[in-house]
Amino acid sequence: MATPVLEIDGLSKRFGGVAAVDGVSLSLEPGRIYGLIGPNGSGKTTLFNCITGIERRDAGRVMFNGERIDGLKPYEIARKGIGRTFQVIRVFPELSALENLLVVTRGGLADAEARALELLRFVRLEGLRNEYAGNLSYGQQKLVEFVRVLMRDPSLILLDEPAAGVNRTLLNDLLDAVRRLRDEGRTVLLVEHDMKVVMGLCETVFVLDHGEKIAEGEPGVIQTDERVIEAYFGR
Amino acid sequence: MLVVALAVYPTFGTGYGVRAMLQIFMWIALAGSWNLISGLTGYVSFGHVAFFGAGAYTGAILISKASWPWLAAALAGGVGACAVALVIGYPCLRLKGPYFAIAMLGLNEVLRALVSYFEGLTGGGSGLSLPTLHATVPIYYAMAGTAATVTLLTYLIITSRFGLRLMTIREDELAAEAMGIDTARHKLYAFLLSAVGPGIAGALAARDQGYIEPISVFPLATTITMIVMVLFGGKGTVWGPVLGAVVLFVSQEFVWARFPYLHQLLFGAIIVAVVLLMPRGVLGLLQVKYRLPRTI
Ligand SMILES: Nc1ncnc2c1ncn2[C@@H]1O[C@H](COP(=O)(O)OP(=O)(O)O)[C@@H](O)[C@H]1O
Ligand SMILES: [Mg+2]
């Protein structure tokens, strides 16, 4: 077995009395697409925030390519090769679509610009490159956020509900793009509510409920897991 | 053309005219510097006059106690202000929104108290007089150079990725961090750069006036004027602070001076009008409306 890209061990995060993430352990292998599901409020976004350093974990360890990253600052973690999108869109609204991509790069500007244009073309936003990101449609902003993540060439990509609010055509493009990232050897972990998307895309799914990981496995198996069914429908 | 006109102006301008131009240059340097930190990163500094005062005292002390030539003292004023920014930038820039604004206001009060306290060096509350020197014209050029440098620096920053990164802090600091931008370091760099211009301008103004005291170089009103100039002209633009400085200074001199009682009222009304009707300022509005490039 290859070294895991990401290995989380006993990760916990509380907000006051709420255990948002409660002793979660999981491990991601390179070149695969993983799903993270669970009812609203089960801690999916908080788990992302702890991995990316935006929230400080209370307990547990996060290893990225064998190196401990919990405790690092968000920008340090990003530079190590973890990219993410947000559940609520966070493009830079008064930067153009192109600037949104350029700004996260370092090194030669010409190369960065060529890469940014290639990515915008890839999500069919080349014609809108000089438009303020804040003026784009919701789905277009999601795509800008998605390709912005790719500018830094991350080896692990965390997507928080990438399909929500994106129309069908764009969605298919997005799913193809995610598969292509996987084929390039990157690892993707995505939060998604649409089970069809999860079934069609993910090889392994983790299920959270009340901050705890209650199941892990192939999507087909997960769907028939009793604890999972109870978490979704049992209350 | 304009540059040439400004360059030869002192040879034929009246004493009053030269002095007024000098003041305009000073306001351009101050407003432009405030724009570097607050217009670009969105961290609103409510105590920026602290750097003006720090530069004024650094320069005045070097001139009066160490007999430095005024030009060297002016540069030292920039360095002194930058040093103050370095000391307080690290803790203050962790504060967000109103907390940063208030911390900067506090810094200004602390500096004012400090210069009042260390009487031996600063003359305390009774101020510090500089040896007489007739150098308004050379100071005019030095102040013009300072204003031009601040504006050029703004241009270079806004057209660079460094400038775009500063703007991401204004737009969404958390997303910027998550995208690998070291926001703390960027804020600090912008803050240091924003202190240099006021420091130099402060030292030049001290030399020009020949006398400084705590209340004359640390007035809150100066910070507010910088802010209003930038908000009027357009925050985050290259020429907005220049436009704001010229328009507000000229209206103050030539219009409001005739109505001394209305002065404060008009100034207040302009603040309210800009904030309500034109939150982006003149150039910001044009930029968004007509899709103008960032370089205006
Ligand atoms: N910043 C925060 N402050 C307080 N409580 C929070 C915060 N973020 C999340 N929570 C709480 O933590 C729990 C998990 O939330 P979240 O991670 O957003 O869930 P999910 O993404 O699975 O919907 C919820 O009960 C939520 O209310
Ligand atoms: Mg969520």
Side-chain angles (χ1 to χ4, degrees), chain B residues 31 40 48 76 82 85 93 110 116 122 128 131 134 137 153 179 202 223 237 267 286 290 293:
Chain B
L40 291 178
H48 229 60
C82 202
L93 288 165
V110 167
S116 303
T122 64
L128 195 60
H134 296 287
V137 171
L153 184 67
M179 291 300 117
T223 301
T237 65
F267 197 70
L286 295 176
Y290 299 106

Side-chain angles (χ1 to χ4, degrees), chain A residues 15 18 20 39-47 55 87:
Chain A
F15 292 110
V18 181
N40 270 328
S42 57
K44 306 178 297 290
T45 296
T46 305
L47 183 64
E55 295 284 2
Q87 183 176 348

Side-chain angles (χ1 to χ4, degrees), chain B residues 35-52:
Chain B
N35 187 41
L36 284 180
I37 179 69
S38 302
L40 291 178
T41 74
Y43 274 67
V44 174
S45 166
F46 245 86
H48 229 60
V49 70
F51 300 126
F52 178 84

